[in-house]
Amino acid sequence: MPTEPETDYDPTLGEKFIFVTGGVMSGLGKGITAASTGRLLSNAGFDVTAVKIDPYLNVDAGTMNPYQHGEVYVLKDGGEVDLDLGNYERFLDEDMTFDHNVTTGKAYKHVIEKERAGDYLGKTVQIIPHVTDEIKRRIREAADGHDVCIVEVGGTVGDIEGMPFLEALRQFSHEQDDDDFLLTHVTLVPYSKNGEQKTKPTQHSVKELRSIGLQPDILVGRCDDELEPKTKEKIALFCDVSTDAVFSNPDVEDIYHVPLVVEEEGLDEYVMERLGLDDRALPEDERDNEWRELVTQETTGAVDIALVGKYALEDAYISIHEALKHAGLEKNVDVNVLWVDSEEMDDDHEERLKGSDGIVVPGGFGSRGTEGKIEAIRYARENDVPFLGLCLGFQMAVVEYARNVLGLAGAHSAEVDEDTPHPVIDILPEQYEVEDMGGTMRLGAHETDIEPGTLAESVYGGPSCTERHRHRYEVNPEYFDDFEGEDLQFSGYSGNRMEILELDGHPYFFGTQFHPEFRSRPGRASPPFVGLLEAVLDRPDTDVEAPEEVQA
């Protein structure tokens, strides 16, 4: 009789785990709280990784509208994931993989495939233990080899789709030693009309957690301001934790200040003590202080960058916002991102853009807003305004030049206009027979060769670069000859695939088929974004003092 286990779950993988749940409402900042905790542990000398749990049935975030969950973040291995993975990469400065994102769709799909293959040996396949073991397996395998794994459970306690994950978490807590497991619960602490900090939402949220067998070890209160001592005491009393385990996470001007705020609250020391890590931590005077120095440095002024897109939502372009911020940190300037709706550009685009010091046209899909993006690119080209085009922005720069310089009337992308007489942008050959939408684009990290003596070589400081991609369309090889000898040249390529363009004689006109924003970090800003800011600061009408470059 076969003796194989029902699952391949191995409860010995991983070392220390911090689970982060949320209550009362979504969007409170669980991800930033988790990422900030990880940043502080990393400063103390620990190898930290993170897992994001998304309790939706989608296998990944690739087919989601940005209005649902913000931008689709792309990992080096091509995983299309929730934007919180981007925060983890930026805060921890570690490249994640698709295995660091666990969704309901992923877990159920794998269990069903195993059932169809007969791997469960005739057993009735159930949520417990099969799905919960699958969830735990994924978490442990992502954590293997790291000192600490921080696991953010998306959604809020009480959501029906999150129940299998919370049950897996409950089981997890019993499998670990007490000093290897920590549960942090982030809740809203609102103000009443008379200005009192109200604890009842937190009490009810914790009550919901305890009803399924989970007792939080740490409570983090999200509030406009720091929690008052009496508020902390009341939360501790009614939620059965010590007052020392209640922490404030107030609103701050910049998310990169959150690690500093929770450090001042003592969150990192409490976490290390509870996990038995305090004896292994670096002495305080030897811990990495680069983050604090970087995000608190004095700036010499501010520049305005127009972001021309179709989603009136910052989260839809969060990595671009952050990449601009990182470039600003490197050049000692604040970057104000001005939202410009590409759908409203047709009549007054010059008025909308003339106050900006530089222009970024981001990626995207579909026809909506493309003509406005083309007009913004034309404005940047004709008026010597520093310009950066990303993915679709790169493609629309090709379209704009084809129309207005090469004289190819009606030139467009075949994605936008199937009947265009000049499809200067066409579908990738390997995409012709693709029918499924999810996970089928050209995704992930690919190397680009760079032409010597070009702006691209100056920007990247070498003969090649490796950046992340997410596209189905490319510059049509049939039109390469039309661009030969023109001011617009392709200075980066991958085989016969054009990856970078630039414009001779322009202060900074740079386009990339890839998404450099996904690899940008505080202290390690993306080269194309740094190049954009350098060109902006070189403009005679930019009112900023000469910047001092930060060595990260």
Side-chain angles (χ1 to χ4, degrees):
M1 187 173 179
T3 59
E4 293 90 20
E6 291 186 3
T7 71
D8 52 3
Y9 173 55
D10 183 355
T12 66
L13 293 178
E15 186 176 352
K16 307 283 186 179
F17 294 87
I18 302 172
F19 285 84
V20 181
T21 57
V24 185
M25 60 179 288
S26 61
L28 277 180
K30 296 189 303 297
I32 298 300
T33 300
S36 298
T37 303
R39 177 69 260 167
L40 296 177
L41 292 175
S42 180
N43 289 348
F46 296 103
D47 181 356
V48 183
T49 192
V51 171
K52 172 64 190 297
I53 288 173
D54 287 303
Y56 44 64
L57 276 170
N58 305 65
V59 172
D60 57 45
T63 59
M64 288 187 181
N65 186 303
Y67 282 118
Q68 293 287 312
H69 283 268
E71 76 174 4
V72 176
Y73 189 79
V74 180
L75 302 171
K76 66 179 181 180
D77 62 1
E80 297 174 284
V81 296
D82 183 86
L83 59 82
D84 277 316
L85 271 294
N87 285 325
Y88 293 135
E89 288 204 337
R90 289 186 282 268
F91 275 70
L92 300 178
D93 195 15
E94 177 186 338
D95 288 344
M96 303 289 169
T97 70
F98 197 37
D99 291 337
H100 290 84
N101 188 211
V102 181
T103 69
T104 300
K106 264 189 179 181
Y108 278 54
K109 182 173 182 285
H110 185 73
V111 168
I112 290 170
E113 286 173 348
K114 290 184 68 174
E115 182 275 328
R116 290 289 81 188
D119 290 353
Y120 295 118
L121 305 174
K123 294 288 196 307
T124 301
V125 181
Q126 298 175 289
I127 303 299
I128 304 171
H130 302 100
V131 171
T132 52
D133 275 1
E134 173 64 13
I135 292 167
K136 292 184 292 180
R137 179 187 70 81
R138 289 179 176 273
I139 293 170
R140 288 192 182 278
E141 290 185 357
D144 192 29
H146 299 272
D147 297 326
V148 181
C149 180
I150 300 176
V151 184
E152 178 196 350
V153 182
T156 57
V157 172
D159 296 343
I160 190 169
E161 61 265 31
M163 296 307 291
F165 294 97
L166 294 176
E167 169 57 25
L169 196 162
R170 185 192 68 79
Q171 296 174 22
F172 214 106
S173 69
H174 291 293
E175 294 171 0
Q176 296 295 117
D177 292 337
D178 289 344
D179 62 355
D180 290 340
F181 177 93
L182 199 63
L183 175 57
T184 299
H185 191 54
V186 182
T187 69
L188 177 68
V189 180
Y191 278 104
S192 65
K193 288 186 177 181
N194 63 1
E196 180 185 1
Q197 292 178 339
K198 303 301 290 184
T199 67
K200 192 62 71 176
T202 298
Q203 294 178 44
H204 281 291
S205 181
V206 172
K207 182 180 179 181
E208 184 76 27
L209 259 182
R210 295 174 75 175
S211 72
I212 55 178
L214 289 167
Q215 168 62 41
D217 301 296
I218 292 174
L219 288 168
V220 177
R222 284 287 291 113
C223 188
D224 294 346
D225 307 296
E226 291 184 5
L227 300 183
E228 299 169 3
K230 64 179 182 181
T231 303
K232 289 187 175 182
E233 291 169 4
K234 190 172 183 179
I235 289 173
L237 176 64
F238 284 94
C239 298
D240 201 21
V241 297
S242 68
T243 306
D244 292 342
V246 182
F247 296 90
S248 303
N249 187 353
D251 292 345
V252 293
E253 291 184 5
D254 191 313
I255 60 170
Y256 295 144
H257 290 175
V258 175
L260 313 184
V261 172
V262 295
E263 182 180 34
E264 290 170 4
E265 284 265 314
L267 177 62
D268 54 333
E269 297 298 333
Y270 188 85
V271 166
M272 287 188 286
E273 181 183 353
R274 285 296 306 269
L275 290 177
L277 293 171
D278 42 348
D279 291 340
R280 293 165 50 188
L282 292 172
E284 287 192 30
D285 60 352
E286 296 181 17
R287 294 180 188 178
D288 188 351
N289 201 39
E290 182 181 331
W291 183 279
R292 177 179 290 274
E293 293 173 353
L294 185 67
V295 304
T296 60
Q297 65 180 322
E298 293 292 330
T299 56
T300 59
V303 297
D304 296 325
I305 303 296
L307 178 60
V308 184
K310 66 178 181 179
Y311 297 112
L313 177 72
E314 181 174 332
D315 277 359
Y317 304 109
I318 187 170
S319 288
I320 295 173
H321 279 262
E322 297 308 304
L324 287 167
K325 191 188 301 182
H326 304 158
L329 289 172
E330 183 163 323
K331 307 309 294 185
N332 287 107
V333 294
D334 293 317
V335 180
N336 300 321
V337 180
L338 309 178
W339 165 248
V340 178
D341 190 336
S342 60
E343 288 191 279
E344 299 179 2
M345 288 279 292
D346 294 347
D347 299 324
D348 58 353
H349 63 276
E350 291 192 17
E351 186 66 28
R352 291 174 179 272
L353 294 172
K354 70 180 183 181
S356 63
D357 299 307
I359 295 171
V360 175
V361 176
F365 298 91
S367 61
R368 185 165 65 87
T370 53
E371 291 301 322
K373 292 180 180 181
I374 290 169
E375 286 303 313
I377 294 166
R378 180 174 184 171
Y379 176 85
R381 179 178 61 80
E382 293 180 344
N383 292 277
D384 286 343
V385 179
F387 161 78
L388 178 60
L390 308 171
C391 197
L392 182 64
F394 162 91
Q395 295 174 359
M396 292 303 102
V398 174
V399 170
E400 190 280 324
Y401 196 87
R403 288 182 184 180
N404 299 317
V405 178
L406 300 184
L408 300 178
H412 219 316
S413 166
E415 176 188 14
V416 178
D417 180 5
E418 294 181 355
D419 300 320
T420 175
H422 296 291
V424 292
I425 305 296
D426 205 358
I427 195 165
L428 295 163
E430 62 266 31
Q431 294 284 319
Y432 286 135
E433 305 301 324
V434 172
E435 295 182 359
D436 290 343
M437 297 296 290
T440 56
M441 286 185 275
R442 183 174 182 241
L443 294 164
H446 296 276
E447 185 175 6
T448 294
D449 296 316
I450 295 174
E451 281 289 327
T454 60
L455 173 63
E457 184 184 49
S458 175
V459 165
Y460 276 100
S464 67
C465 65
T466 300
E467 299 279 14
R468 301 177 189 180
H469 296 67
R470 184 175 185 249
H471 65 110
R472 294 186 194 277
Y473 289 78
E474 66 173 345
V475 180
N476 190 340
E478 294 181 7
Y479 286 86
F480 287 173
D481 290 344
D482 293 84
F483 288 90
E484 193 70 35
E486 293 291 332
D487 289 338
L488 185 76
Q489 63 169 312
F490 297 107
S491 52
Y493 49 87
S494 178
N496 199 39
R497 185 160 289 148
M498 297 300 103
E499 296 277 7
I500 302 174
L501 64 77
E502 57 189 69
L503 184 63
D504 286 346
H506 193 282
Y508 191 82
F509 193 96
F510 200 76
T512 66
Q513 180 60 80
F514 45 77
H515 290 268
E517 67 270 23
F518 292 145
R519 294 193 67 231
S520 188
R521 308 279 189 271
R524 188 158 56 87
S526 168
F529 286 85
V530 174
L532 176 71
L533 283 201
E534 288 177 342
V536 165
L537 294 171
D538 284 343
R539 298 183 74 186
D541 55 346
T542 300
D543 186 22
V544 178
E545 299 175 24
E548 298 178 6
E549 190 163 321
V550 175
Q551 297 300 321

